[in-house]
Amino acid sequence: MSSLDFSHTSKTDRALFEKRMSAHFAVLFPLLIDVYGHRYDFYYHLQELTQTLLNGLSSRSRALKKRDGERLAEPQWFRQENMLGMACYVDLFAGNLTHLQSRIPYLKDLGVTYLHLMPLYAAPEGDSDGGYAVSDYRTVDRRLGTMRDLSALAEALRNEGISLVLDFVFNHTSDEHPWALAAQQGDSQYQDYYYLFDDRRIPDEYEKNLREIFPQVRRGNFTWNENTQKWVWTTFNSFQWDLNYSNPEVFTAIVGEMLFLANIGCDALRLDALAFIWKEMGTDCENQHKAHVLIKAFNACLQIAAPAVVFKSEAIVHPDEVNKYIAKDECQLSYNPLLMALIWNSLATRKTRLLTHSMQKSFRITDDCAWVNYVRCHDDIGWTFDDAVAWDLGINPQDHRHFLNQFFTGRFDGSFASGVAFAENPSTGDCRVCGSLASLCGVELALMEHDDAALTTAIKRVLLVHSIILSIGGIPLLYSGDELGLLNDYGYRNDPAKTHDDRWVQRIPIDDDAIQQLTTQGDYHQIIYDGIKRMVAIRKSHAVFGSSQTRILRVDNEHCFAFRRYAASAKSAEQLTVIVNFSEHAQTVNIAEGQLCGVDLLSHPTETVKPHKTIAMAPYQTRWILH
Ligand code: GLC
Ligand code: GLC
């Protein structure tokens, strides 16, 4: 076996590499053994991987190595009260990467410290699943700019205290990725990068237990490929080929791509569709044990070559499974799809039992990790609550999901929402929901009906949902455009590359003039923008919004949701009690745990809430009571 090639490595880097290997190899090795240890060529692949890690570390810039040191010294940076996330598409938000630099003042004005740029890599023309079909991880989509532009942007953001988050789309590549092209030309080495089958025998066997993610565009999980005369595993669209992680060469190759992304200068990688990366016959091939092992192995690789970078889990699955990805040695950050879905549920039902019980069960995670709390994103809303919790409360989960779909697509009598049904399954009738936050909150309908009172109420809903993600603990993540109350954009229906994918209804372009106008013209856009900005500013000025703990409280009013934030150590005695009224009627609340005496940071002028008193809640009011 050849030894490691240090010829491109400085002495200092070599020492650093050896130090990090000594610290983390003991973690990495058993993980690799678990997945690949049975292979006769295991040590060959281990050697290749080690070289990949060394190359990754050696090509990391001095500035990023400094960043590694800073982040290691302050591993909880993502739990601070100053954190505010935003996710946006480069083209929709700013046209291209260069112009995005000129949006930094806007981001700073709002308080953004974490910017997730939706996938910006080379991708097929036409439909590329919004960039989630990657043809080359090392090239920027030329409509957005170049890798140089991206590095410049990363540096500019870093200088302004904004962390860059990039997608790590590692479950699949596009069918135009060089690996997929080689596979299509018959290269067996690259055919082994994917799951290809000569006939339907094995696919049919797998299919017995698999979900269908986009049944509106293709039934099943496999696509016939003419070039190879084989069936290809394609969980998502037919042009997204699932990578075969049972092949250790794939793991090493993807580590190389991951370190390339890390070395651009991002602070977090969003692990796209991570639940699907391991396939196991006889299971639904989601959330498999080895998926966790692989993610931990990727994480250990980061600790060796680029430890400033953390992982964010994108698992939109059963809440118990979501939580299993969250660990210091796996994903330090995770989307919180349960909170997201149940905030919408409470808006529809005006009831909070499911939200309260579910959060009491699932919100708690370890202190070295954090939730990324969001209300809308570029994807559909799936009702991924726990059926068992619903049954306990006497709710039939299937019927309830049907109700929620009806409600948010505006088919339910009295609904305020203007959503669009997504991925309707012709066999089961299941669907999920799309729509912009403001449209789902009722702004669109109120405007259409020229109903001022309904508009005022809808604006309150928009602010209410943000008041929760800004205070509950973790990184609040805004979806670009929501801070301006943008409405559904139905333009995608005229675009042949988009019309079959209704998620485009909430992927809305905006330009400089519009931003300028919407933030100043005095209508609902500005009310929403100013309202969110004000809450962000309050969040940033009190440490209790940061790394303190969260306890979900029981309240005696079924329309209200409450939680308390308190410092884990005795360092700060400050506590925050948040109470939210999900109904359009005034309510009163008694908090069972502890007596409240404090000031409501959200009321103006700041109101004192007295002990022993029943607390009055106006329609859709949130109180942030500091005590
Ligand atoms: C993730 C993305 C979604 C995409 C899918 C496949 O769920 O959020 O937009 O379609 O992965 O990459
Ligand atoms: C499914 C997947 C999720 C993906 C979404 C895209 O819900 O579980 O990962 O984001 O589909 O629509």
Side-chain angles (χ1 to χ4, degrees):
M1 193 180 286
S2 62
S3 59
L4 285 178
D5 175 5
F6 283 103
S7 59
H8 302 288
T9 308
S10 68
K11 259 205 190 126
T12 352
D13 279 355
R14 181 171 180 157
L16 183 61
F17 180 72
E18 284 165 354
K19 184 174 143 221
R20 296 242 189 91
M21 279 301 266
S22 311
H24 300 285
F25 189 70
V27 175
L28 179 58
F29 183 69
L31 298 167
L32 296 172
I33 286 281
D34 191 352
V35 189
Y36 304 118
H38 62 287
R39 295 184 54 118
Y40 74 88
D41 55 358
F42 175 76
Y43 285 95
Y44 164 77
H45 289 290
L46 185 61
Q47 174 86 15
E48 294 286 297
L49 177 64
T50 311
Q51 185 70 51
T52 302
L53 296 175
L54 173 64
N55 296 349
L57 182 139
S58 308
S59 47
R60 194 157 171 79
S61 72
R62 195 188 293 252
L64 293 179
K65 286 191 183 117
K66 186 164 159 262
R67 186 75 153 188
D68 289 333
E70 289 162 7
R71 292 305 200 202
L72 288 171
E74 201 189 0
Q76 306 237 341
W77 60 273
F78 46 72
R79 291 188 67 206
Q80 288 165 2
E81 65 277 12
N82 78 327
M83 289 300 295
L84 177 71
M86 178 173 275
C88 70
Y89 286 91
V90 175
D91 54 345
L92 302 181
F93 180 58
N96 59 41
L97 288 165
T98 311
H99 192 64
L100 213 156
Q101 289 211 29
S102 67
R103 284 283 153 81
I104 292 178
Y106 173 73
L107 297 172
K108 290 200 72 168
D109 184 52
L110 196 58
V112 171
T113 60
Y114 161 119
L115 185 66
H116 169 212
L117 298 180
M118 301 297 296
L120 37 72
Y121 317 107
E125 289 283 326
D127 189 1
S128 65
D129 190 14
Y132 281 105
V134 178
S135 299
D136 182 356
Y137 300 95
R138 300 184 187 222
T139 309
V140 167
D141 179 339
R142 55 189 163 72
R143 286 163 308 168
L144 306 180
T146 62
M147 206 35 93
R148 194 185 290 257
D149 299 337
L150 180 57
S151 303
L153 175 65
E155 194 183 332
L157 290 171
R158 203 160 48 243
N159 292 339
E160 295 293 344
I162 301 175
S163 297
L164 174 65
V165 184
L166 292 175
D167 271 279
F168 179 34
V169 188
F170 71 131
N171 176 66
H172 43 261
T173 71
S174 87
D175 58 359
E176 295 180 10
H177 190 285
W179 302 337
L181 293 177
Q184 291 179 74
Q185 274 149 21
D187 186 330
S188 63
Q189 182 187 357
Y190 288 102
Q191 291 196 344
D192 287 345
Y193 273 47
Y194 301 95
Y195 291 96
L196 303 184
F197 303 96
D198 293 331
D199 55 42
R200 289 289 315 181
R201 208 170 35 86
I202 301 173
D204 284 345
E205 209 42 52
Y206 275 116
E207 205 66 272
K208 288 180 184 160
N209 302 295
L210 300 178
R211 266 204 295 163
E212 294 181 282
I213 305 297
F214 296 145
Q216 84 283 14
V217 291
R218 191 211 58 235
R219 302 313 306 271
N221 285 266
F222 299 85
T223 302
W224 175 251
N225 180 259
E226 280 297 331
N227 296 334
T228 53
Q229 292 287 302
K230 288 178 200 289
W231 290 94
V232 189
W233 198 314
T234 54
T235 301
F236 294 89
N237 287 287
S238 296
F239 50 83
Q240 289 164 297
W241 287 25
D242 286 45
L243 285 161
N244 176 4
Y245 281 100
S246 70
N247 176 358
E249 194 176 317
V250 170
F251 180 77
T252 303
I254 289 289
V255 167
E257 303 311 292
M258 174 182 83
L259 295 182
F260 181 87
L261 301 182
N263 287 347
I264 295 170
C266 61
D267 293 273
L269 286 170
R270 173 189 180 277
L271 268 54
D272 182 64
L274 81 178
F276 298 86
I277 62 168
W278 189 263
K279 328 289 188 198
E280 195 82 53
M281 182 66 87
T283 74
D284 64 359
C285 299
E286 294 184 39
N287 312 306
Q288 295 300 303
H289 164 73
K290 284 193 176 139
H292 290 279
V293 178
L294 284 167
I295 297 160
K296 287 195 175 103
F298 279 119
N299 191 317
C301 292
L302 271 188
Q303 300 314 316
I304 293 164
V309 182
V310 295
F311 279 158
K312 173 168 66 161
S313 158
E314 190 251 344
I316 316 299
V317 292
H318 188 285
D320 294 349
E321 299 297 338
V322 171
N323 286 31
K324 287 183 194 158
Y325 293 96
I326 308 170
K328 184 170 183 277
D329 63 352
E330 196 165 336
C331 295
Q332 297 93 334
L333 304 176
S334 168
Y335 281 99
N336 193 345
L338 183 62
L339 176 66
M340 180 277 293
L342 293 179
I343 286 176
W344 290 109
N345 173 60
S346 289
L347 278 184
T349 60
R350 282 77 162 171
K351 303 249 170 72
T352 56
R353 282 183 317 154
L354 194 53
L355 175 61
T356 299
H357 284 256
S358 304
M359 287 303 121
Q360 282 181 330
K361 177 169 178 243
S362 304
F363 192 82
R364 188 80 222 247
I365 51 175
T366 56
D367 286 344
D368 39 23
C369 295
W371 288 113
V372 174
N373 297 307
Y374 66 115
V375 203
R376 281 307 286 122
C377 71
H378 68 291
D379 276 335
D380 43 291
I381 302 174
W383 309 110
T384 57
F385 56 81
D386 183 346
D387 288 6
V389 175
W391 282 121
D392 279 350
L393 299 170
I395 299 168
N396 175 325
Q398 214 45 36
D399 292 355
H400 194 61
R401 289 195 178 92
H402 178 72
F403 158 74
L404 290 168
N405 285 328
Q406 295 290 106
F407 187 93
F408 283 105
T409 53
R411 298 171 192 163
F412 185 83
D413 209 18
S415 164
F416 49 75
S418 309
V420 178
F422 175 68
E424 250 171 329
N425 188 319
S427 321
T428 60
D430 283 351
C431 75
R432 309 194 289 270
V433 171
C434 290
S436 81
L437 187 142
S439 289
L440 292 174
C441 281
V443 177
E444 187 171 329
L445 190 66
L447 290 171
M448 216 167 67
E449 296 184 340
H450 304 287
D451 184 338
D452 287 346
L455 180 61
T456 307
T457 305
I459 294 169
K460 285 186 184 155
R461 289 191 196 99
V462 172
L463 295 176
L464 175 148
V465 299
H466 284 102
S467 78
I468 299 173
I469 60 166
L470 284 166
S471 61
I472 197 164
I475 304 177
L477 177 65
L478 307 179
Y479 177 58
S480 170
D482 286 347
E483 82 284 11
L484 297 166
L486 297 189
L487 301 181
N488 285 350
D489 178 354
Y490 299 98
Y492 72 101
R493 291 182 176 161
N494 306 320
D495 182 340
K498 296 181 176 156
T499 182
H500 58 280
D501 190 338
D502 296 291
R503 291 175 297 169
W504 286 98
V505 77
Q506 71 245 1
R507 300 173 181 175
I508 310 165
I510 188 142
D511 58 31
D512 294 309
D513 292 345
I515 289 192
Q516 172 60 23
Q517 205 186 332
L518 298 184
T519 50
T520 51
Q521 69 192 11
D523 66 359
Y524 71 92
H525 298 288
Q526 193 189 342
I527 300 175
I528 290 173
Y529 181 76
D530 289 347
I532 292 176
K533 221 175 110 171
R534 177 169 166 263
M535 289 191 281
V536 170
I538 297 174
R539 172 187 159 89
K540 287 183 188 244
S541 54
H542 296 277
V544 71
F545 287 91
S547 59
S548 55
Q549 313 242 320
T550 302
R551 190 164 71 235
I552 309 296
L553 301 178
R554 242 174 323 130
V555 294
D556 60 349
N557 182 315
E558 61 173 0
H559 306 291
C560 295
F561 174 57
F563 52 87
R564 182 164 294 158
R565 306 289 314 278
Y566 56 98
S569 70
K571 231 175 38 195
S572 153
E574 227 177 35
Q575 295 197 359
L576 179 81
T577 299
V578 174
I579 311 173
V580 185
N581 176 8
F582 271 96
S583 117
E584 59 268 71
H585 303 293
Q587 304 292 335
T588 55
V589 176
N590 289 291
I591 301 278
E593 296 166 59
Q595 294 169 350
L596 273 189
C597 179
V599 287
D600 179 1
L601 301 173
L602 285 180
S603 59
H604 11 195
T606 311
E607 182 191 341
T608 302
V609 183
K610 300 254 168 50
H612 311 301
K613 282 264 169 69
T614 299
I615 298 161
M617 299 292 296
Y620 290 120
Q621 185 182 13
T622 295
R623 290 188 184 276
W624 283 355
I625 304 166
L626 187 71
H627 49 108

